[in-house]
Amino acid sequence: MNHRQCDISASTQGELGILATLPRPVYGHVLGINNRAIGFPHSHAWAQFSYATEGVLEVRTASGRFIAPPLRGVWIPAGTEHSVYCSAYAQLRSLYVDPGAISFSWPECKTLTVSPLLRELIREFSEMPVEYDEQGSQGRLVSVLLDQIGLAAEAGLSLPWPRDVRLQAICDDIQEHPENRHTLIEFSQRLKLCERTLSRLFMQQTGMSFRQWRQRSRLLFSLSLLAKGERVTDVAIACGYESMSAFIVAFKEQMGVTPKELFPTHG
């Protein structure tokens, strides 16, 4: 992903420090500091749910990369160290949630589908006062909002990240140069490992084969290019596909929709 430059000043970090506790069980005003991409590793005592109303959002943790194109969001459990990036011109919506306010327990980050109802609930909540009335209609809206997050379907747009530094070097190479078509044999020769050992390591540490991991990495990388309005043909080439049709087939298999269906304003 071509990430937006994160401008985190000392004053911004100071504002974040103010939120030692949340003013209400859910915090997420439209003008809040939580709607900026924080590109350095950090954690907090509350859970976080973020999505991009426009553009593409990426959350990175030690265990993986979690990507959210439009109508997808990322759930980040309390205490999880993470960094947040987004494509150029992305517009973020984020909620900070007191762990005691939720009935579900998700120990790991995950990408979720944002239904039309959930999207409208978040939009309405973002316009409410920070210290909303917990006992009235605003409090009831928050309860429904949290219920809808808990019921949201998992989107599966994540990329497991290996712990082995040798595999990390391969993964970094693939992400920086998605157009390259280096084979597993070539990577194994570079690392002085036999192909079978490298293949086994990939499966053990990511739960995916080398081929599966690379394809998902390429497809997730394509999201930021599509969000910018680049032509599908150009995106396919940039992601290492031999043809636009092969890219579209792989994209729909992974995303459930075609590139044009996910980004309907682009050709």
Side-chain angles (χ1 to χ4, degrees), residues 33 120 128 148 167 184 195 214:
I33 186 66
E120 288 305 309
M128 284 167 39
Q148 287 300 305
L167 294 191
L184 186 63
E195 181 183 4
R214 180 167 63 181

Side-chain angles (χ1 to χ4, degrees), residues 171-215:
C171 294
D172 284 336
D173 186 279
I174 291 172
Q175 292 221 300
E176 291 173 10
H177 306 285
E179 75 285 358
N180 286 349
R181 298 176 185 173
H182 298 312
T183 65
L184 186 63
I185 293 177
E186 289 174 310
F187 280 119
S188 66
Q189 290 172 343
R190 184 187 303 181
L191 295 175
K192 295 182 172 55
L193 290 172
C194 73
E195 181 183 4
R196 181 178 298 180
T197 297
L198 188 55
S199 177
R200 186 175 63 251
L201 278 172
F202 245 101
M203 184 60 70
Q204 286 177 345
Q205 298 214 358
T206 70
M208 306 171 73
S209 69
F210 168 79
R211 180 179 176 278
Q212 290 171 329
W213 196 97
R214 180 167 63 181
Q215 175 160 290

Side-chain angles (χ1 to χ4, degrees), residues 153-164:
E154 191 164 357
L157 301 180
S158 61
L159 192 65
W161 203 256
R163 300 179 304 278
D164 190 292

Side-chain angles (χ1 to χ4, degrees), residues 1-2 175 178 216-225 238-239:
M1 179 184 294
N2 295 323
Q175 292 221 300
R216 184 175 294 185
S217 176
R218 286 172 166 176
L219 292 172
L220 295 180
F221 174 81
S222 75
L223 295 173
S224 62
L225 302 181
C239 293

Side-chain angles (χ1 to χ4, degrees), residues 8-121:
I8 305 300
S9 63
S11 61
T12 297
Q13 295 184 50
E15 289 179 61
L16 288 170
I18 293 174
L19 290 176
T21 59
L22 299 179
R24 288 291 187 268
V26 181
Y27 172 78
H29 194 269
V30 66
L31 299 179
I33 186 66
N34 54 311
N35 287 319
R36 303 180 192 175
I38 310 298
F40 57 82
H42 64 286
S43 63
H44 30 69
W46 44 82
Q48 181 176 342
F49 181 68
S50 296
Y51 86 105
T53 57
E54 296 180 27
V56 178
L57 171 74
E58 176 179 348
V59 174
R60 295 183 180 182
T61 71
S63 63
R65 309 290 188 261
F66 303 85
I67 316 297
L71 299 184
R72 312 293 191 278
V74 181
W75 176 264
I76 308 167
T80 300
E81 186 171 85
H82 63 283
S83 52
V84 181
Y85 302 87
C86 57
S87 58
Y89 311 113
Q91 298 295 318
L92 305 186
R93 290 287 181 271
S94 292
L95 304 177
Y96 287 174
V97 183
D98 185 331
I102 55 179
S103 59
F104 49 89
S105 177
W106 295 332
E108 303 288 340
C109 286
K110 57 174 63 182
T111 54
L112 302 173
T113 298
V114 178
S115 67
L117 174 58
L118 179 54
R119 182 185 65 218
E120 288 305 309
L121 287 168

Side-chain angles (χ1 to χ4, degrees), residues 215 219 241 245-257:
Q215 175 160 290
L219 292 172
Y241 285 86
S245 60
F247 169 70
I248 291 175
V249 168
F251 190 96
K252 186 170 184 178
E253 183 178 298
Q254 175 67 53
M255 308 293 176
V257 294

